[in-house]
Amino acid sequence: MSPSSRRGFRFSHFGMFVSDIARMERFYAGVLEFTVTDRGQLAGASGPVDLVFLSRDPDEHHQIVLVSGRPASLAFNPINQISLAADSLATLRAMHARLLEEDCSEITPVTHGNAVSIYVRDPEGNRLELYFDLPWYVSQPMRLPVDLAGDEAELMARFEAHARSLPGFRPRTEWRAEMARLMGLA
């Protein structure tokens, strides 16, 4: 655990019920490049339940667990979003191109002022947010559609100019130091 993290607990993984486990595995492993680390079956209240464990981190056996048994149609999807952080704007832009090639639904690039995000639906309609943190902070919520085409340096300059016009603009390092104080970590 990082010395700048809260002691006690850290986020590790989540599981979600799915209708078509093979289709969901193909998406998370093929498109988002998770690795299947295990799979198996357990007894469930209504019969056997299939599980597929996936991770992008060799220190985490699984970061996502796909579990069979979700009804094909639900009146409401309780998952607001599943968010994955990109290591660079280049990575995010490459994934944007990949999602367009895969003909995924509802691909929406936006800026939140302090991050650039791509919202997209997985094959069962769960909303994903793939994002890259920008080096500054602005007050939230904030959301504006963006075009990710063009030169990366020009994009970053546009993102920063926009962020500077928003309430709360400051370097991310200042915001982080304030949050560390509020969390009792400073």
Side-chain angles (χ1 to χ4, degrees):
M1 174 172 39
S2 163
S4 61
S5 298
R6 277 189 168 169
R7 297 188 53 77
F9 293 97
R10 66 175 175 76
F11 182 78
S12 171
H13 62 272
F14 73 93
M16 65 178 157
F17 287 106
V18 300
S19 297
D20 185 338
I21 201 163
R23 183 174 182 216
M24 293 291 278
E25 178 185 331
R26 282 191 302 275
F27 177 79
Y28 283 91
V31 177
L32 296 181
E33 299 178 350
F34 279 80
T35 297
V36 174
T37 61
D38 256 323
R39 67 176 70 246
Q41 196 173 71
L42 291 174
S46 301
V49 176
D50 295 313
L51 295 97
V52 175
F53 300 87
L54 301 115
S55 185
R56 291 181 53 96
D57 182 344
D59 291 327
E60 292 287 343
H61 173 266
H62 57 279
Q63 294 172 304
I64 296 175
V65 183
L66 304 175
V67 183
S68 65
R70 177 178 174 166
S73 65
L74 295 172
F76 178 81
N77 184 346
I79 296 175
N80 175 268
Q81 69 189 40
I82 301 163
S83 301
L84 304 172
D87 59 7
S88 68
L89 183 56
T91 296
L92 188 68
R93 293 175 71 199
M95 180 54 70
H96 183 248
R98 174 83 189 269
L99 294 169
L100 290 170
E101 288 172 9
E102 294 287 332
D103 198 28
C104 294
S105 66
E106 299 181 34
I107 303 169
T108 310
V110 303
T111 180
H112 292 294
N114 60 356
V116 179
S117 299
I118 300 168
Y119 289 92
V120 62
R121 297 286 175 173
D122 75 11
E124 292 193 1
N126 300 302
R127 185 170 70 160
L128 303 175
E129 177 195 23
L130 311 172
Y131 72 95
F132 173 67
D133 279 329
L134 297 169
W136 47 81
Y137 168 83
V138 301
S139 299
Q140 295 297 308
M142 203 288 329
R143 179 179 166 134
L144 179 73
V146 294
D147 182 355
L148 295 179
D151 178 75
E152 190 166 312
E154 291 173 10
L155 278 175
M156 287 297 288
R158 277 197 342 251
F159 294 149
E160 182 174 2
H162 173 254
R164 285 182 178 278
S165 73
L166 298 171
F169 177 85
R170 58 188 158 151
R172 183 174 289 276
T173 53
E174 288 180 16
W175 175 82
R176 188 193 178 288
E178 179 185 345
M179 292 302 108
R181 281 190 301 279
L182 288 173
M183 295 176 191
L185 300 171

